Amino acid sequence: MATWVNRQLLTGMVLFFLLLGTRAWGTDPPAHDLSALMQEAVSRNPSIEASEAQWQTFLQKARQAGSLDDPMLMLGISNGLVSDPFAFDQDGMTSKVIGLSQKLPFFGKRALAREAASLEAVSAQARHEERKLALAALVKEVYARLFLVDKAQDILTRNLQVMETVIRAAETRYGVGEGRQQDVLRAQVERSRLLEAQIGLDQQRRSLQANLNRLLARPADTPIGPIADLDTPPVPYGADELRRLAEEKRPLLAGLTAQIDKGKTEEALAQKAFYPDFTLSFEYMQREPAMGGEGDDMYSAAVSFNLPVWRERRQARVAEAQAQKATAQAELHDLRNAIDGGIADLLAKLDRADRLLELYRGGILPQSTHAFESAQIAYSNNQVDFSRMLNSLTTLFNDERQLYQTMADYRLNLAQLEALVGTDLTK
C-alpha cells in the first residue's frame, strides 16, 4: 500500500512538471497584439479625437489671425434740406455721398499676430501628440498587468491540480496509518487559499479588461483573450542618448518651446501697441445743378489714427506676455529636469529587473524546482515531513510568479521610459 501511495504522489508531481513546461494557455494563439491595440486606441479613443479637434481649432484661428478688418462702405446725404429731404436740386451744397474706409494696423502687427497664432497651433499639435503618447503608455501598462494576471491564473490552475493529487495521497496515507490527519487538513487549507487567490485574480482580470476596453472605446464587457508572452528587449541607448532623443522626439518639449516663442512674439506685438493704427477713408459726393451753379461733384480723402496715450493698459499687456514667456520657460526647465531624473531612475529599474530575470531563470527557479523534487522524493520515502514538502511547493509557486512579476515590471518601466523620451525604443 505504501508503494502505491508513493506512486500516486510521484504521478502528481510528474503531472505538475509536465504542466510547468507548457504554455499558460496551451496551443491557443494570442488573442490580441499590443501594436494593434495601441493603434486601435489612438484611432478610437474620444480624448484623442477631442485633442485633435482642439488642434484643428487653433489651426483655423491661425488662418484668421493677422487679417485686415473688413472695409466700411458708407452711403449718405450731405447737407440735405430738412424741409424737403429728397430734393437734391434746391441747394448747391446738397449731395449724395458714397464712401469707403479701411483700418490698417501699424506696420508689423499683422505678421506678429499670425506668428503668435501659428505658434499656438504648434503647441496644440504637441499636446495632441503628447496625449497619444500617454494613451499608448496606458495601453502598454494594462497589457502588461493582464499578462501577469493570466500567468498567475495559469500557475494557480496547475498548482490546484497538483494539490488535488497531494490531498488524495495524504488522505490515502492517513487511511492506511502512514500519515497524519494534520497533513490532510494542511493540504486542504492550502487548496482553499489557492482558490481564494483565484477569485481575486478573476476580479483583477475583469477590472483590467474593462479598463482596456475603456481605452479602446469598446463596451466594457467586450472579451479580451489571453495575452501573448511578453519579451524583455534591452534598451539600446545610454542616458545621454536618451536625453538627446527626448529633445528630438518628446512632443511636450516642442510644445513648450513653441509657447516660449509665442510669448516672445506676444511681447513684440504688445510693444507695437504703443504705435497707432491708421484708418484711410475716401468719399465721393455727387451734386445736382442748383441755384445757378453747375453742380460739380466733389470728393473727400482723409487719414485718421488713434492716439495711444493710455500707456498703463499697454504696459500691462507687455507684462502679461513676459509672464507667459517666463511660465513656459520655467515649465520647460522643469520638464527637462523631470526627463533627466526619470531616465536615470527608469534605467536603474530596468537594470534591476533584467538582473533579477537572469537570476530567476538561471538560479532561483531551477534551485526551487530541484528543492521541490528533492522534498517530494524524500517525503515519499518518509525522510521529511509533509509540511516541508508543501513549503517547497509553495516556494516554487511564488518564485515562478515572481519571475512573471519581474517581466511585467520590466515592460511597465520600459513603457514609462518610452513615454518619457517620446518614441519606441525597441524597434
Side-chain angles (χ1 to χ4, degrees):
M1 178 64 70
T3 301
W4 180 84
V5 171
N6 293 338
R7 188 175 300 160
Q8 287 288 98
L9 181 59
L10 286 172
T11 300
M13 304 312 170
V14 169
L15 174 63
F16 172 77
F17 287 107
L18 286 174
L19 290 169
L20 187 64
T22 61
R23 286 185 176 271
W25 294 89
T27 59
D28 293 337
H32 295 282
D33 175 72
L34 179 56
S35 298
L37 288 174
M38 289 192 296
Q39 291 176 3
E40 182 178 353
V42 168
S43 64
R44 299 183 57 181
N45 190 279
S47 68
I48 301 301
E49 295 176 355
S51 67
E52 184 173 10
Q54 187 179 46
W55 169 35
Q56 293 299 323
T57 298
F58 283 106
L59 279 177
Q60 299 308 316
K61 285 186 176 181
R63 292 181 61 188
Q64 303 170 49
S67 299
L68 288 172
D69 291 342
D70 291 334
M72 299 293 292
L73 173 66
M74 188 271 287
L75 300 174
I77 298 173
S78 178
N79 298 314
L81 298 176
V82 175
S83 59
D84 193 354
F86 298 103
F88 300 104
D89 57 357
Q90 299 298 313
D91 190 295
M93 296 299 294
T94 302
S95 58
K96 299 182 283 290
V97 182
I98 182 171
L100 285 174
S101 63
Q102 176 67 61
K103 184 178 180 180
L104 298 175
F106 191 84
F107 177 77
K109 286 186 177 180
R110 292 173 59 204
L112 289 170
R114 279 195 299 267
E115 183 180 354
S118 297
L119 288 168
E120 186 63 49
V122 170
S123 181
Q125 182 183 11
R127 291 193 296 271
H128 172 61
E129 295 299 327
E130 187 76 15
R131 185 166 292 185
K132 288 165 64 176
L133 272 180
L135 178 62
L138 285 174
V139 172
K140 292 176 184 177
E141 177 182 346
V142 177
Y143 190 88
R145 296 190 186 282
L146 276 170
F147 161 81
L148 178 59
V149 170
D150 286 349
K151 288 299 184 184
Q153 286 180 324
D154 178 64
I155 296 169
L156 273 175
T157 299
R158 289 186 270 122
N159 276 268
L160 281 169
Q161 292 173 343
V162 174
M163 192 60 66
E164 291 295 337
T165 303
V166 169
I167 290 173
R168 288 196 298 270
E171 289 173 342
T172 302
R173 293 188 67 175
Y174 174 67
V176 298
E178 295 184 0
R180 300 180 303 170
Q181 186 181 26
Q182 181 181 355
D183 295 342
V184 178
L185 295 175
R186 172 76 185 279
Q188 290 173 342
V189 168
E190 290 299 325
R191 177 181 60 184
S192 298
R193 287 176 177 170
L194 291 175
L195 291 172
E196 178 187 19
Q198 193 174 53
I199 293 172
L201 288 173
D202 288 341
Q203 176 270 314
Q204 289 181 39
R205 197 179 201 287
R206 288 197 300 270
S207 297
L208 289 169
Q209 176 177 280
N211 194 9
L212 183 57
N213 282 326
R214 178 182 62 82
L215 297 175
L216 300 173
R218 297 175 176 176
D221 57 353
T222 301
I224 302 292
I227 301 300
D229 284 345
L230 291 179
D231 58 350
T232 53
V235 177
Y237 303 102
D240 291 338
E241 293 174 297
L242 289 171
R243 282 190 287 269
R244 177 183 56 78
L245 273 176
E247 289 291 336
E248 296 176 0
K249 302 292 186 179
R250 183 70 186 272
L252 192 55
L253 284 172
L256 289 173
T257 301
Q259 284 293 320
I260 293 172
D261 292 339
K262 176 178 176 286
K264 295 176 181 178
T265 304
E266 292 279 8
E267 182 180 0
L269 183 59
Q271 295 287 358
K272 290 284 186 180
F274 288 96
Y275 298 93
D277 298 327
F278 299 90
T279 301
L280 302 179
S281 60
F282 178 83
E283 296 179 0
Y284 183 83
M285 294 169 281
Q286 189 271 324
R287 298 195 302 167
E288 299 290 343
M291 302 175 64
E294 295 294 331
D296 293 332
D297 294 345
M298 304 176 70
Y299 76 92
S300 175
V303 57
S304 59
F305 50 88
N306 63 299
L307 298 176
V309 296
W310 310 118
R311 301 178 64 85
E312 183 178 356
R313 172 170 58 87
R314 293 171 172 83
Q315 289 169 345
R317 183 178 175 185
V318 172
E320 177 188 355
Q322 291 172 339
Q324 290 176 348
K325 180 180 66 175
T327 299
Q329 288 172 333
E331 289 178 352
L332 180 62
H333 182 65
D334 183 61
L335 178 59
R336 286 197 172 113
N337 282 342
I339 290 174
D340 187 38
I343 286 173
D345 178 53
L346 290 169
L347 283 178
K349 289 179 178 178
L350 286 168
D351 180 65
R352 172 184 177 274
D354 187 57
R355 292 165 63 186
L356 282 176
L357 286 172
E358 183 178 355
L359 181 61
Y360 274 102
R361 288 167 174 159
I364 293 177
L365 200 54
Q367 291 166 4
S368 296
T369 302
H370 179 70
F372 175 63
E373 289 174 334
S374 298
Q376 59 91 11
I377 292 173
Y379 175 69
S380 66
N381 294 323
N382 292 321
Q383 294 176 349
V384 298
D385 59 16
F386 181 80
S387 294
R388 183 172 175 181
M389 188 273 295
L390 196 58
N391 288 339
S392 65
L393 175 60
T394 302
T395 299
L396 180 58
F397 161 72
N398 290 332
D399 288 343
E400 188 181 9
R401 190 182 187 283
Q402 189 59 44
L403 170 67
Y404 293 123
Q405 176 71 64
T406 306
M407 291 175 65
D409 289 343
Y410 186 97
R411 290 306 295 256
L412 288 171
N413 291 325
L414 180 59
Q416 292 175 17
L417 183 61
E418 290 176 334
L420 194 69
V421 174
T423 188
D424 193 330
L425 298 174
T426 58
K427 287 184 178 179

